[in-house]
Amino acid sequence: MDTPTDALITPAHRPAGKRVQLMLTCICDAFFADVGKATVEVLEYLGCEVLFPDGQTCCGQPAFNAGDWAASRKVVRHTAGVFAGPEPIVTPSASCAAMLFHGTQLAFEKEPDCDAVLAVGERTWELCDFIVNGLGIDRLPGRLDLRVAFHSSCHSRLTPTGAAALQLLRGIEGVEVVPFGEAEQCCGFGGAFSVSFPNISAKMGELKLQHILAQEPDMLASGDMGCLMHLGGMLDKQGSPLPRRHIVQLLRDSLVATGEIAATPLD
């Protein structure tokens, strides 16, 4: 279902040049190194100069979601300093992007540096949103013969990210996006939610996977690494061999498959 334009929470006037600052997120750093590699490879293929600011840590969302807004503001202020400058900030995470352009509006509402922090959020793009709506590219010339179940994360709702991700995924020649029941339901991760309410979180994830596995896809894909970590861990516990990939890995793999870019090992 398309989201009405006037309901979107994404900043309306973000810079969209090809010189970008890359925010790879703490989950990417700890668990999904190849997602970072694939992000750089795809952005450079699209003609972008990718800057990686030293000192980046976290967007501040874990503390924000747990209700410790004072701690969250400390992390956000650090992030705002690290990502100073005029360039677009691009991240392969709808969750982190939404924290910077939406969560900070709540956390910094009465803070003296509110305008400076919100200015960082106004430069922030989720990766698929940036490719489609920033660079104006709706398909890449790759190919993968896969039936893919795509999980759209909660944080991508009311933003252009979900539609952009599906557009890019469906634009890969040979890919069939497989529909499944209750597709809009949360995977159960919810960051701190999965720690505070593990039993509810697990039941939500199990329900999500029941609907996905019933369609017998070749691949589970998402644009959020937290969701992939949660669902992937549950698949591993079930002994399911279903592969799971971030959408940027599929974009990169499709370009490698057709010789558009060369395959390189992960250092």
Side-chain angles (χ1 to χ4, degrees), residues 71-258:
S72 176
R73 284 192 286 266
K74 291 181 181 179
V75 179
V76 171
R77 287 184 174 112
H78 171 78
T79 296
V82 169
F83 287 92
E87 298 89 359
I89 301 167
V90 179
T91 178
S93 168
S95 178
C96 296
M99 175 60 198
L100 289 181
F101 63 62
H102 181 62
T104 53
Q105 294 183 29
L106 304 176
F108 282 83
E109 183 178 9
K110 298 180 180 180
E111 296 297 308
D113 55 347
C114 179
D115 289 345
V117 169
L118 295 188
V120 174
E122 289 170 355
R123 293 166 37 228
T124 301
W125 296 80
E126 183 277 330
L127 176 64
C128 295
D129 182 15
F130 177 71
I131 293 173
V132 173
N133 299 304
L135 299 180
I137 298 168
D138 58 11
R139 66 182 298 140
L140 277 66
R143 181 180 180 90
L144 290 173
D145 294 308
L146 289 173
R147 299 178 70 250
V148 177
F150 177 71
H151 166 66
S152 184
S153 70
C154 299
H155 279 98
S156 66
R157 297 174 189 170
L158 295 181
T159 78
T161 290
L166 279 172
Q167 190 166 7
L168 290 171
L169 193 56
R170 289 172 174 150
I172 301 174
E173 187 177 356
V175 165
E176 175 190 354
V177 178
V178 181
F180 55 88
E182 300 194 32
E184 295 300 317
Q185 294 299 318
C186 176
C187 72
F189 177 55
F193 175 82
S194 62
V195 177
S196 302
F197 303 98
N199 294 329
I200 299 174
S201 172
K203 290 298 183 182
M204 293 171 69
E206 289 169 3
L207 177 62
K208 188 87 182 188
L209 288 177
Q210 284 176 12
H211 285 287
I212 291 171
L213 294 174
Q215 302 305 314
E216 299 183 348
D218 301 318
M219 180 80 65
L220 169 63
S222 180
D224 261 293
M225 290 166 278
C227 302
L228 287 173
M229 182 173 66
H230 182 65
L231 293 174
M234 300 190 74
L235 286 168
D236 289 341
K237 288 182 179 179
Q238 295 178 13
S240 171
L242 180 67
R244 67 287 323 214
R245 304 281 271 177
H246 190 285
I247 186 171
V248 75
Q249 292 174 295
L250 295 181
L251 294 173
R252 185 271 316 277
D253 293 349
S254 73
L255 293 171
V256 170
T258 53

Side-chain angles (χ1 to χ4, degrees), residues 1-66:
M1 179 181 297
D2 293 334
T3 303
T5 302
D6 59 3
L8 300 181
I9 62 172
T10 311
H13 303 291
R14 293 169 291 174
K18 288 193 173 184
R19 179 180 166 91
V20 305
Q21 297 190 50
L22 178 60
M23 175 186 288
L24 278 186
T25 86
C26 47
I27 288 184
C28 182
D29 180 57
F31 300 108
F32 291 90
D34 188 59
V35 172
K37 177 175 176 290
T39 298
V40 173
E41 290 172 325
V42 169
L43 286 173
E44 289 185 341
Y45 172 79
L46 296 175
C48 293
E49 177 186 358
V50 181
L51 310 176
F52 187 76
D54 292 335
Q56 59 178 283
T57 54
C58 175
C59 68
Q61 185 181 166
F64 176 81
N65 287 350

